[in-house]
Amino acid sequence: MQGRAYPTLAGATRIWARIGLLSFGGPAGQIALMHRILVEEQRWLGEKRFLHALNYCMLLPGPEAMQLAVYIGWLMHRTLGGIIAGVLFVLPGVVAIMALSWIYALYGNVGPVDALFFGLKAAVLAIVVQAVIRIGSRALKNSAMIAIAAASFVAIFGFAVPFPLIILIAGLVGFLGARSDLPAFQDGGGHGKVGKLQVDDADTLLGEETPDHTQIKRGWAFRISSVFLVLWLAPVALLFAALGPANVFAQIASFFSVMAVVTFGGAYAVLAYVAQEAVQNYGWLAPGEMLDGLSMAETTPGPLIMVTQFVGFMGAFRDASGLSPLIAGTLGGLLTTWVTFTPCFLWIFLGAPFIERLRDNAVLTAALTAITAAVVGVILNLAVWFGLHVIFDEVRTLTAFGLDLDVPIWSTVNLAAAALVLSALVAVFHVKLGPVTVLAGCAVAGVVLGLAGIA
């Protein structure tokens, strides 16, 4: 595969808009989508460079898929390219979640909407399974990487080991493996020597391995950090000063600013905590509404952490502070999105030049590759968790001998959901339909089953 020159900014913008509109299926599906379009279809960068950027984004707080888009956008077209890529990646989700939040606030759970989500969940599950297989086939190059992924899955699924601890251990294993010159940890878990480009790798683009703007420049790093820190934290400080800490908008700004710093492992790693705080501490949501918001985020484009926009919307909607409830909810949702995603640009623009400089470092590459293998196991855990909750109406937690295991109650199997999931899997793997076609087909099927009283 020969690498192509980077596209024009206009051409890249069209591709980022396409990716944003098709970014269903959570981080696994979104990363697989970007890989298919950017590496396989457009051939703008090679496998190694894509995985190197992904490994770094996996270490950051916040949505890794969105940050990967920012990283690649920056790599091709500097800061403006990164901003365009990041904004277009989240914009469809912002619009979709806002529209659904309005419907939810005005009408609650209505039959056709529930049926639509019923169908979409089956499609999303199939797309996530496809993504796990696609990413795993590329990241798990030998038995050591497979063992790391398996251990990661068992740790998080069976023993509820925290995600950051899994990442730390995996990185340490990769580091020690490379330092010990173990063959399995050479060339990032693949074959050959680390840092040596493969014949079919498109890492050398535009006639140079590393564009000039990716070099570390302290002055630029200081300026970009200052700009995004102000963009992120100035609204928080202004809201506190103008409205006081007890105001709902100040609470939303401060709470989700903290979440933006500690959301390692993506949305699922913090959803339980967000739900607990939103329900018990702040009173923004009623019990069970977090799952409704998660359904919205699972079945719309964009990062799963976009569910926080729904939380902010409902919190401001119910405590309008003298505004129209819908206006307050809209402002609350947008404020949540701003303080959640603005830091993502900061992490990338500040850290990416350092990561690019270390791209051919054998030990770092081995550590990051081991982390990617561990993340495959974590994503598999999410796919299994999601599948259990789609196909079965009730799941119980089995606790014994250190295990903390979700087990389905077999008598509550939803035959309609199982049949729809099976159909979606056949469509994805056998018929090889695209994600949009599968999503549309399952959505229609869900509505038909709902109208028939089956879903």
Side-chain angles (χ1 to χ4, degrees):
M1 179 178 71
Q2 297 299 318
R4 295 179 180 175
Y6 292 146
T8 63
L9 183 59
T13 299
R14 288 191 291 271
I15 293 298
W16 289 122
R18 176 186 168 196
I19 289 173
L21 289 169
L22 297 178
S23 59
F24 294 89
Q30 292 155 3
I31 292 167
L33 172 70
M34 278 191 281
H35 184 278
R36 177 171 60 83
I37 293 177
L38 300 177
V39 178
E40 299 176 3
E41 181 181 311
Q42 300 296 326
R43 294 185 291 182
W44 287 340
L45 69 165
E47 186 82 27
K48 286 184 180 179
R49 198 158 206 165
F50 181 89
L51 288 177
H52 184 82
L54 174 61
N55 290 337
Y56 171 58
C57 295
M58 290 292 186
L59 298 176
L60 298 174
E64 59 270 31
M66 179 264 192
Q67 289 169 148
L68 179 61
V70 177
Y71 191 116
I72 297 174
W74 163 82
L75 183 65
M76 294 193 298
H77 295 107
R78 303 175 180 263
T79 306
L80 180 58
I83 292 173
I84 290 173
V87 170
L88 290 179
F89 189 84
V90 300
L91 185 59
V94 171
V95 174
I97 294 294
M98 186 61 69
L100 291 172
S101 297
W102 271 60
I103 294 172
Y104 190 91
L106 291 173
Y107 305 109
N109 288 322
V110 293
V113 175
D114 281 344
L116 180 69
F117 284 163
F118 177 83
L120 286 172
K121 287 177 182 178
V124 169
L125 177 57
I127 293 170
V128 170
V129 171
Q130 181 193 42
V132 171
I133 294 174
R134 182 189 294 267
I135 296 172
S137 66
R138 289 172 168 82
L140 309 182
K141 296 295 188 181
N142 56 47
S143 58
M145 297 301 120
I146 294 173
I148 290 173
S152 171
F153 172 77
V154 171
I156 196 168
F157 184 76
F159 296 93
V161 176
F163 178 82
L165 182 58
I166 291 174
I167 292 301
L168 178 63
I169 294 173
L172 183 61
V173 168
F175 173 82
L176 295 175
R179 290 294 298 269
S180 302
D181 291 326
L182 297 178
F185 295 92
Q186 302 304 310
D187 190 31
H191 305 285
K193 292 186 178 297
V194 175
K196 181 178 179 181
L197 295 177
Q198 302 299 312
V199 174
D200 63 347
D201 198 278
D203 280 335
T204 303
L205 301 170
L206 291 177
E208 60 180 358
E209 186 173 338
T210 305
D212 180 67
H213 70 271
T214 65
Q215 301 299 315
I216 298 173
K217 300 173 183 177
R218 294 182 180 179
W220 180 85
F222 176 78
R223 290 193 299 272
I224 202 71
S225 301
S226 300
V227 168
F228 278 94
L229 277 173
V230 170
L231 288 173
W232 172 23
L233 298 178
V236 180
L238 289 173
L239 287 170
F240 264 81
L243 304 176
N247 182 271
V248 66
F249 292 106
Q251 292 176 338
I252 288 172
S254 61
F255 178 73
F256 288 108
S257 289
V258 173
M259 288 296 98
V261 178
V262 301
T263 51
F264 294 94
Y268 283 106
V270 295
L271 281 183
Y273 175 69
V274 172
Q276 182 180 20
E277 291 295 300
V279 174
Q280 298 178 8
N281 188 16
Y282 294 104
W284 294 335
L285 298 179
E289 286 186 336
M290 190 69 176
L291 288 178
D292 295 330
L294 182 58
S295 296
M296 296 180 191
E298 289 278 13
T299 51
T300 52
L304 294 181
I305 200 69
M306 193 66 74
V307 66
T308 57
Q309 179 177 287
F310 170 74
V311 177
F313 180 98
M314 295 306 299
F317 178 84
R318 287 170 173 154
D319 186 2
S321 300
L323 299 173
S324 161
L326 286 175
I327 296 299
T330 301
L331 293 175
L334 293 177
L335 174 62
T336 302
T337 300
W338 181 265
V339 298
T340 298
F341 290 103
T342 301
C344 296
F345 294 96
L346 172 62
W347 312 144
I348 295 299
F349 294 146
L350 183 60
F354 294 91
I355 296 300
E356 280 293 300
R357 185 175 181 178
L358 296 171
R359 189 155 55 91
D360 294 331
N361 182 285
V363 174
L364 177 65
T365 300
L368 292 179
T369 303
I371 288 171
T372 299
V375 168
V376 172
V378 173
I379 296 176
L380 176 60
N381 162 70
L382 300 184
V384 173
W385 182 90
F386 191 32
L388 288 174
H389 288 80
V390 169
I391 297 174
F392 297 92
D393 293 331
E394 295 182 32
V395 176
R396 63 187 179 92
T397 301
L398 177 64
T399 304
F401 306 106
L403 282 172
D404 188 10
L405 201 62
D406 284 342
V407 178
I409 299 178
W410 290 94
S411 60
T412 67
V413 62
N414 189 319
L415 295 178
L420 203 52
V421 168
L422 180 60
S423 300
L425 289 170
V426 170
V428 167
F429 288 100
H430 183 66
V431 186
K432 299 188 183 303
L433 296 179
V436 175
T437 304
V438 176
L439 286 161
C442 287
V444 171
V447 172
V448 170
L449 291 173
L451 293 175
I454 299 174

